[in-house]
Amino acid sequence: MAEEEDTRIRILQSLRGKICEGKNLGPCSGPNRQRDLCTFCTISLDQEEVFRTKVFDKSLSPFYSEDFYFEIPRPFQCLSFYVFAKGVFQRDLPVGKVSIRKEELCKFSGKEHWFGLQPVDPNSEVQGKVHLEMRLNELIIENGSMCQQLLVRIIECQGLPLISGQNCDPYATVSLVGSDQKKTKVKKKTSDPQFEETFNFEVTRPNSYTKKSNFQVEEEDIEKLEIKVDLWNNGNLAQDVFLGETRVSVKILRNDHIHRAWYLLQPKGNGKSKTDDLGSLRLNVTYTEDNVLPSACYTPLRTLLLKSPDIKPISASAAHILGDICRERYEAVLPVVRLLLHHSRLVPFVSAITVLELENTQEANTIFRGNSLATRCIDDMMKIVGRSYLTVTLKPVLDEICESNKTCEIDPIKLKEGDNVEVNKENLQGYVQKVFSSITQSSSSCPPLMCDVFRSLRHMASKRFPDDPHVQYSAVSSFVFLRFFAVAVLSPHTFQLRPHHPDLEVSRTLTLISKTIQTLGSWGSLSKNKLVCMNVCLISLSNMEIQKRAQGRNRFGKRNFKKRWLRVTNRELSYHKHRGKEALCIIPVKNIQAVEKLHESAFKRKNMFQVLHSEKPLYVQAGNCVEASEWVEVLSQVSRCNPDRLGTFHPSAYVAGAWLCCRSLSDSQPGCNPCTPTLLANLQLDIDCDRETERIFSLLTSSYSKLQKMEDACASIAVYQGPSREQDDYSLFTIQDSKETFNTVRQITHILEELQREHDTRSGTAQYGSQENPIVGKTS
């Protein structure tokens, strides 16, 4: 087992980007054209929604401007962006969609593109794959003649969609052009049905058989013959729902008697239809797939990066070179920050690059206002270590602002009829005072790492501008107010300070407060604010609407599952009938013994997890796979230091007197699977250093041409001491010491070559038609 682990490659996926804006949404003509369309966007992995924007009011060209980032916890085929029109007295209506297959995401990575909206048709909303086997058999019929039969075996399907939030009841139909349709049995409550059914079709007439060929259909007929497999959800009393189709040409058997492969399900007719213009969506999408090697493979690159704070000058360090050649890539700094943070090397690195930036800053009032390597490192550091600090400091007052919903509009142009500007001004002043007081009185909650960085900034700013007594405060306020608190006030949902997007009026109030906080922070009048170091809990308060199964029930049944509002703090887990209502059940965090995902077979439902505690287990169904993974992580982290944590668990349920997983009859029987190990309550240990190093390797590899230009620039400077002769090629590089920089670049190049060889040796391309690399669309 240890040997397998040592050679295993982990595939980790993430998605980052922005839903920018829409243009001319809805049909371009006809009675469906609405001038007061209120729209929102969603993101789906296949047919599972994982993200939703706020509603944009009454515009056919809305400016959404919403960033998104999440880890993708499962395989997927298609990423889709849907635009919905918000319904008032009826359900939300789809306007159109943008669908991008996983293998095509790389074409759009990191850049904004306009995508035309396609219609949302039930027959095009498909996902999943089917495993087929086709075989030719020779038969002797009654008159002694030979004929051929085509045997089609429907083996299984995987990844079929949920229907109304539940697993479907799928069946397959199979037909050959010109023959009767044949049907499998219905499989109940599963997205991964095992069919194992075989159907036969006659493909030759008896008198056409000769022994010269294995396939005896006329050539012109071969082009027409194809097997068509449709997947359906059995609707019982309702209409059956189309789940997808695949078509396979029979001529694929020309060279072999047996063909066996996985096929991706396709829309009906491959989804090709002419429709009216539904508008377009501007998106920025970056999909990342990290193939993480065993840890030992990354030792040379990791060691070189961790030496960065000690390299003089700092511009010759590996971490600075990465930032230099990838300065236009937002994601380039974050893995370096995480890696240095984990190994307690971030503060000296930030101090060194800050000195370099201050050398190029000419006026104190412009300190740390640009988008430099130093400011990006500090921004990412604050987002990583400061989330709980934001929760402690801002969440209570933001909850009050969002729930009291007082009007604060002071712009005469935007005032509504009946608004009193003086009352609105008092409301705004009251809110600003509460937010500002919460910030200035929060020094005891500030994370130690942020205190260390800010202390270093104050010292270096004072040293750079000794004649300006306020620069030590403006250096800190540039980050604390302008880049941290003001941003969190403006978008509290992105920092998990609020569970949902605020409505338009509240959003306007938060915008006014944020602008005021930025102005106050710019004055640099924070001399009385103490930067005191104290530890703070790293688990944010969270809320979610979930399906909860009654605890301790021994029978399956739809009535056992209830929709509840789940809430966790660092002290207790509770669920409520509705949001804001009194708790129906409270589980102290100290009593949680394990949090683990459940097998789908336990309740025939996806995205389920269990909370094991001193009483009966709590079974929970999350809204989607991303939410389920996030909740398991949050609950595991908040309870990881509990003394009574379990070492094993049952991945299924105890039903009808037995555990479904191991068939043990005792409900108190210790678990049959080891619990997922949890890390100590230490931020450093929560960072996957191998993944971060793999990200850095990918970034360096993709910028290899710039790395070579930097190497050439160093060689040129070292040889020719006069004015640079190739200024256009390397004018953007920071080269203070050409010899040191050249040596580091050569080390990076050598390490990249070794790592690439490791990837090539360990990675293999999956066979076309395998489960990992299924065939797309119709075969020819």
Side-chain angles (χ1 to χ4, degrees), residues 531-545:
L531 294 174
V532 181
C533 301
M534 285 188 68
N535 287 323
V536 64
C537 173
L538 293 173
I539 302 300
S540 301
L541 305 184
S542 302
N543 298 275
M544 180 183 72
E545 193 172 63

Side-chain angles (χ1 to χ4, degrees), residues 24-52:
N24 300 327
L25 299 181
C28 59
S29 62
N32 294 326
R33 185 67 162 181
Q34 301 179 40
R35 293 292 170 188
D36 58 349
L37 204 64
C38 297
T39 63
F40 63 92
C41 292
T42 66
I43 301 177
S44 291
L45 297 173
D46 297 325
Q47 297 305 305
E48 183 178 15
E49 182 183 317
V50 295
F51 180 84
R52 178 175 292 215

Side-chain angles (χ1 to χ4, degrees), residues 39-321:
T39 63
F40 63 92
C41 292
T42 66
I43 301 177
S44 291
L45 297 173
D46 297 325
Q47 297 305 305
E48 183 178 15
E49 182 183 317
V50 295
F51 180 84
R52 178 175 292 215
T53 70
K54 63 185 177 184
V55 177
F56 201 94
D57 197 25
K58 298 181 181 180
S59 174
L60 297 179
S61 296
F63 191 75
Y64 298 109
S65 189
E66 291 222 23
D67 296 304
F68 57 85
Y69 173 80
F70 50 85
E71 299 289 323
I72 300 176
R74 63 167 177 81
F76 73 102
Q77 300 171 22
C78 190
L79 176 71
S80 299
F81 297 82
Y82 291 83
V83 178
F84 286 90
K86 184 67 178 175
V88 180
F89 301 109
Q90 57 183 352
R91 64 185 179 87
D92 301 330
L93 298 175
V95 175
K97 68 175 182 178
V98 174
S99 290
I100 309 172
R101 284 206 167 273
K102 177 182 175 181
E103 58 268 19
E104 296 176 345
L105 282 170
C106 60
K107 299 178 184 177
F108 311 105
S109 185
K111 294 182 180 179
E112 292 182 359
H113 295 267
W114 281 99
F115 297 87
L117 292 179
Q118 301 299 315
V120 178
D121 176 3
N123 287 333
S124 69
E125 301 297 288
V126 304
Q127 69 178 65
K129 52 193 174 185
V130 59
H131 197 190
L132 304 177
E133 182 180 277
M134 296 168 57
R135 174 195 306 262
L136 281 174
N137 274 1
E138 296 178 345
L139 296 177
I140 300 177
I141 59 176
E142 293 178 358
N143 62 6
S145 300
M146 300 288 291
C147 73
Q148 286 186 307
Q149 279 191 330
L150 174 66
L151 273 63
V152 180
R153 179 178 164 217
I154 312 296
I155 303 172
E156 61 179 313
C157 289
Q158 286 191 0
L160 299 181
L162 300 178
I163 302 296
S164 301
Q166 305 298 324
N167 282 321
C168 54
D169 296 333
Y171 68 89
T173 61
V174 189
S175 61
L176 182 67
V177 172
S179 69
D180 294 334
Q181 190 179 80
K182 303 182 181 184
K183 176 181 173 182
T184 68
K185 295 177 182 177
V186 175
K187 300 296 180 179
K188 293 291 186 179
K189 301 300 179 189
T190 177
S191 296
D192 302 317
Q194 299 282 331
F195 290 111
E196 289 293 350
E197 293 192 43
T198 303
F199 305 94
N200 58 74
F201 302 91
E202 186 176 321
V203 294
T204 60
R205 293 182 295 276
N207 58 6
S208 68
Y209 178 76
T210 68
K211 292 190 177 181
K212 294 180 181 179
S213 171
N214 288 330
F215 198 88
Q216 299 304 318
V217 180
E218 297 296 332
E219 186 66 27
E220 59 270 21
D221 293 335
I222 295 176
E223 300 298 328
K224 301 175 184 178
L225 281 179
E226 64 179 9
I227 285 291
K228 180 170 175 282
V229 179
D230 289 341
L231 269 296
W232 299 85
N233 176 63
N234 183 38
N236 293 321
L237 300 178
Q239 185 175 359
D240 291 356
V241 177
F242 176 76
L243 300 179
E245 70 171 34
T246 191
R247 298 168 182 256
V248 185
S249 175
V250 176
K251 68 181 181 182
I252 202 167
L253 291 169
R254 271 176 167 167
N255 300 319
D256 202 343
H257 274 291
I258 300 175
H259 170 73
R260 184 171 179 171
W262 285 87
Y263 286 85
L264 293 178
L265 294 174
Q266 301 295 306
K268 187 167 287 188
N270 281 331
K272 297 176 182 176
S273 60
K274 293 184 178 179
T275 60
D276 291 338
D277 181 13
L278 300 175
S280 53
L281 204 58
R282 182 163 62 93
L283 304 170
N284 187 328
V285 181
T286 298
Y287 167 73
T288 302
E289 183 176 284
D290 294 321
N291 293 277
V292 183
L293 300 170
S295 185
C297 298
Y298 297 111
T299 300
L301 181 56
R302 187 166 49 238
T303 302
L304 185 64
L305 291 162
L306 294 176
K307 286 168 53 180
S308 293
D310 304 324
I311 300 298
K312 302 210 181 314
I314 191 64
S315 59
S317 67
H320 192 283
I321 289 172

Side-chain angles (χ1 to χ4, degrees), residues 679-690:
L679 303 169
L680 298 175
N682 184 335
L683 175 71
Q684 294 178 331
L685 298 179
D686 292 339
I687 295 172
D688 187 342
C689 288
D690 293 337

